[in-house]
Amino acid sequence: MRRSLRGLSVAVIAASVICVLAAMAAWWVPAFDSLRIVSPYAAVVILGLAVLGRGLTQGVRWAVLPVAMIGIWPVVDLTWPVANAAPTGATLRLLQHNLYYKNPATDLTARLGDFDIATLQETRGAKIALSALPSGWTVITCADKTLTQTAVVSRFPALASGCLANGEAWMRVATPGGDVTIVSLHLVWPWPAGGNAQARQVARLTSDIAALPGPMIVGGDFNQMPWSAATTRIARASNTRPIDGIRATFIKKNGLVRLPIDHVLVPPGWNARATVTGQNGSDHEAVLAEINVGRSVGG
């Protein structure tokens, strides 16, 4: 019996270690980026068995603990409470929402009443709602051959706007805290559903985004974890990072599947907070981001 338990523990640890290390290899093998969904859980399993598992040698325990730390660190980095300070007197309130392509979003004008900026995706069903926004709002919409049309909507004066190669909308706006470039993006599904399409899209996006003027705020449906290689590549190209915290925005199977795949990225150190605010006719939760443009935590 003891041999069976020890063998099971070793097998589970081995599988979990392979999962974490393969997820880290996503920088070179894009298909492995999908393993970032489960790698933190695998890391917790490694940690638990290494600390509590019986029949494991000290050598095995010390060998796998660093792997567990590697797998858990991205989650700790996003949820460390010191970094997740609430902004005071936010200079920009941003709504990030994948509207769902069949959603007419008839309540969009009312919803935008509390916001300054919106980054929207799958806006095909909301064409009438976007065209009916009252004066004072500037709208830039961009379409491609899929259902991932994007838009940036601003109450602040627009200085410039355009569409990137794959249909991502961007707008340079004048905020009370200074000029900022806002980008709305929608990444296609990752492997295996989309093959290597997401990796190719990210490769194009990084060069396009890097050419835009900073500082930058990026909102979108990334179809990836905030600690994924895909999200990190976008963050590096835009000199941003996801707002601290992990928010489930795509919820399926009666709540059993809860994925944080919709993100708002801001320059490192900016004082910002994000919360989910409901689906409003979509299959994604909307994200409210409160941002102090140009102000750091404690500044």
Side-chain angles (χ1 to χ4, degrees), residues 91 175 177-178 180 215 217 267 269-271 291-297 299:
T91 55
T175 81
V180 182
I217 296 172
W270 278 22
N271 197 2
I291 304 164
N292 275 326
V293 174
R295 286 179 57 186
S296 62
V297 175

Side-chain angles (χ1 to χ4, degrees), residues 194-286:
N196 286 326
Q198 187 183 89
R200 294 193 299 269
Q201 183 185 6
V202 169
R204 291 192 299 268
L205 261 175
T206 50
S207 58
D208 288 347
I209 286 177
L212 294 174
M216 204 174 304
I217 296 172
V218 181
D221 174 3
F222 285 68
N223 273 312
Q224 275 290 6
M225 303 296 102
W227 54 82
S228 66
T231 303
T232 303
R233 284 191 167 101
I234 298 297
R236 289 180 177 178
S238 56
N239 190 28
T240 60
R241 61 164 281 151
I243 294 177
D244 290 330
I246 298 176
R247 293 160 290 276
T249 56
F250 190 68
I251 303 171
K252 293 291 184 180
K253 306 297 183 182
N254 294 320
L256 294 177
V257 177
R258 305 173 64 86
L259 300 177
I261 61 174
D262 299 83
H263 316 305
V264 177
L265 281 55
V266 300
W270 278 22
N271 197 2
R273 177 178 61 181
T275 55
V276 295
T277 65
Q279 294 183 326
N280 297 95
S282 174
D283 56 348
H284 287 246
E285 292 278 342

Side-chain angles (χ1 to χ4, degrees), residues 6-239:
R6 183 173 66 179
L8 179 61
S9 296
V10 170
V12 171
I13 282 184
S16 300
V17 166
I18 291 171
C19 175
V20 172
L21 294 180
M24 296 305 298
W27 292 104
W28 304 279
V29 185
F32 289 170
D33 212 14
S34 295
L35 292 174
R36 297 288 179 102
I37 298 172
V38 296
S39 60
Y41 300 102
V44 170
V45 170
I46 295 169
L47 185 61
L49 289 177
V51 173
L52 302 175
R54 295 182 178 180
L56 300 178
T57 66
Q58 286 295 106
V60 170
R61 295 176 193 272
W62 287 110
V64 300
L65 281 174
V67 179
M69 294 299 102
I70 290 172
I72 292 173
W73 171 250
V75 177
V76 174
D77 185 42
L78 282 169
T79 55
W80 195 252
V82 174
N84 198 18
T88 302
T91 55
L92 189 155
R93 288 171 58 87
L94 182 146
L95 173 69
Q96 153 54 35
H97 202 190
N98 179 329
L99 294 177
Y100 182 59
Y101 71 98
K102 292 182 180 180
N103 179 14
T106 54
D107 61 346
L108 187 60
T109 296
R111 292 177 62 203
L112 288 177
D114 293 330
F115 293 93
D116 309 300
I117 300 282
T119 53
L120 307 172
Q121 301 81 43
E122 295 194 23
T123 62
R124 190 171 79 171
K127 288 182 178 179
I128 294 176
L130 285 169
S131 64
L133 291 177
S135 60
W137 286 95
T138 302
V139 181
I140 173 70
T141 58
C142 301
D144 61 14
K145 295 180 181 179
T146 71
L147 302 174
T148 61
Q149 293 96 327
T150 65
V152 175
V153 182
S154 174
R155 191 195 300 272
F156 295 133
L159 306 175
S161 62
C163 302
L164 301 182
N166 202 59
E168 297 85 4
W170 67 271
M171 187 184 298
R172 184 77 173 170
V173 300
T175 81
D179 299 346
V180 182
T181 298
I182 311 293
V183 179
S184 173
L185 63 81
H186 187 302
L187 299 188
V188 297
W189 285 357
W191 183 91
N196 286 326
Q198 187 183 89
R200 294 193 299 269
Q201 183 185 6
V202 169
R204 291 192 299 268
L205 261 175
T206 50
S207 58
D208 288 347
I209 286 177
L212 294 174
M216 204 174 304
I217 296 172
V218 181
D221 174 3
F222 285 68
N223 273 312
Q224 275 290 6
M225 303 296 102
W227 54 82
S228 66
T231 303
T232 303
R233 284 191 167 101
I234 298 297
R236 289 180 177 178
S238 56
N239 190 28

